[in-house]
Amino acid sequence: MRLPTCRVLVSAFLGVVTASSSGWAKSSIASIENQASILFQQGKYSEAFAAYEKAARKGSPRSETVLGYMYASGKGTERNAALALDWANKAAEQGDVEAQNMLGYIYMNGAGTAPDAAHALIWYGKAAQKGSVVAENNLGLLYYRGEGTAQDYPKAFSWFSRAAEQGYEAAQNNLGAMYLSGTGVAMDYTKALEWLTKAGNQGNVKAEWSLGQMYSQALGVPRDYGQALDWYTKAAQQEFAAAQVDLGVLYFNGLGTTRDYARAFVLFSKAAAHGSDAAESNLGVMYLNGLGVSADREKAREWLQRAALHLNTGAKQWLSEMDAKTPPTSIQSTSTMLGNVARSTAADDAEDLHNTQAKHGAADFR
């Protein structure tokens, strides 16, 4: 199990602890955890692990949770999903909200145990009831997807709203996605723009891409390729394949900017490296016509075949037309179906996952 960034978890548990006045035992644990926190922040993970383990064996839920994280991420110790589960469970049973979040993730992804969405729902529910915005967002996604429970869009909307109103950018994006697609709520481009802008201004890559879609397709706003270019650029800089494709399309067609085939080729190449079939198909067209790159029919065929293997219907058609007198010159942007959900990679502060086709989507699972 990997917890790639986990800034929320680390900030919650590695701060300096103030000794309690309730007795020597708690004071001793606080002292150990103070030292462990310092060691962790200095990058001395093995020493920090030993200190946290000492405090955890004295029953500290804070240290139990950090041990769970360290076993999950392999910091200061060998990665061990089963022990991550064990320590997170000890802390969660004592009511530790971050441990409850971690257990929700563990059960959702089957890390160290069989996947169990129903148990994930329980633990995210416990953390959400204590006001954890991460848990509120993830609980909303479980209801949205119908995982571990019956699909319930109104409940999903309610949980997203609670987290979004507290400023949590992932939930703001998800709320905006629901308004944009009209899923579980009346379609409302004005509210979609409001919530997606809040999320985008906090750097949420999916919201940035969705805003680019709204401005490029005139969804509730006047068509503005300049604005679309700005939002797609922000998302593309975060290596988001969908935005790289759509930004490439703007440069290819000279929309909101000067036509630049070479730049479009670079962007499509980056997106293709992430597995985008639209980008693969577009590279095939560019190689076939010598746009932004030297013409090369073999490379064109190779890219179109890759895209076709990924079920890109345009690429299949273009392959059949390659030997025609007039080869294809049109390129593809990403799917306009917004609002489907995609799970990201960790419970607390995951990297955003997003792709270009309708089977993926614009929501954050953390």
Side-chain angles (χ1 to χ4, degrees), residues 231-359:
W231 285 113
Y232 284 149
T233 298
K234 290 178 181 180
Q237 287 172 344
Q238 296 192 59
E239 297 301 317
F240 183 36
Q244 289 169 336
V245 172
D246 289 337
L247 184 61
V249 170
L250 293 185
Y251 279 110
F252 185 96
N253 291 307
L255 299 173
T257 185
T258 304
R259 187 189 300 271
D260 190 334
Y261 290 133
R263 195 160 188 177
F265 180 84
V266 169
L267 287 161
F268 293 148
S269 297
K270 289 182 177 181
H274 292 303
S276 166
D277 60 281
E280 291 168 345
S281 182
N282 292 348
L283 286 173
V285 172
M286 296 189 79
Y287 271 116
L288 188 61
N289 293 278
L291 300 172
V293 66
S294 298
D296 189 325
R297 291 181 67 82
E298 289 308 308
K299 286 186 177 179
R301 188 179 299 279
E302 177 185 338
W303 281 111
L304 290 172
Q305 287 175 338
R306 287 190 191 184
L309 285 173
H310 292 148
L311 306 181
N312 186 287
T313 54
K316 291 180 181 179
Q317 178 183 346
W318 292 334
L319 276 170
S320 68
E321 297 175 358
M322 271 195 67
D323 296 321
K325 186 174 181 180
T326 303
T329 59
S330 60
I331 60 171
Q332 300 177 32
S333 62
T334 61
S335 169
T336 59
M337 291 183 65
L338 308 179
N340 297 326
V341 298
R343 186 179 308 143
S344 60
T345 57
D348 292 281
D349 196 13
E351 298 297 325
D352 289 333
L353 299 185
H354 213 29
N355 287 297
T356 63
Q357 302 304 307
K359 63 182 178 181

Side-chain angles (χ1 to χ4, degrees), residues 148-179:
T149 184
Q151 190 172 60
D152 190 327
Y153 290 135
K155 283 187 178 179
F157 181 85
S158 176
W159 284 111
F160 289 152
S161 296
R162 286 177 62 166
E165 287 164 2
Q166 295 178 70
Y168 189 48
E169 43 85 16
Q172 291 172 339
N173 172 72
N174 293 343
L175 198 58
M178 291 189 77
Y179 278 121

Side-chain angles (χ1 to χ4, degrees), residues 3 40 51 73-74 113 126 156 213 221 311:
L3 303 182
F40 191 101
S73 62
T113 186
K126 289 178 183 290
Q213 294 271 296
V221 292
L311 306 181

Side-chain angles (χ1 to χ4, degrees), residues 132-151:
S132 166
V133 293
V134 174
E136 289 169 350
N137 180 66
N138 288 348
L139 193 60
L141 277 158
L142 289 174
Y143 281 113
Y144 186 102
R145 296 169 65 92
E147 295 182 349
T149 184
Q151 190 172 60

Side-chain angles (χ1 to χ4, degrees), residues 13 91-92 95-102 123 126-128 130-132 135:
F13 288 99
D96 187 275
V97 66
E98 296 300 335
Q100 290 168 344
N101 267 327
M102 190 186 298
W123 287 110
K126 289 178 183 290
K130 294 179 180 178
S132 166

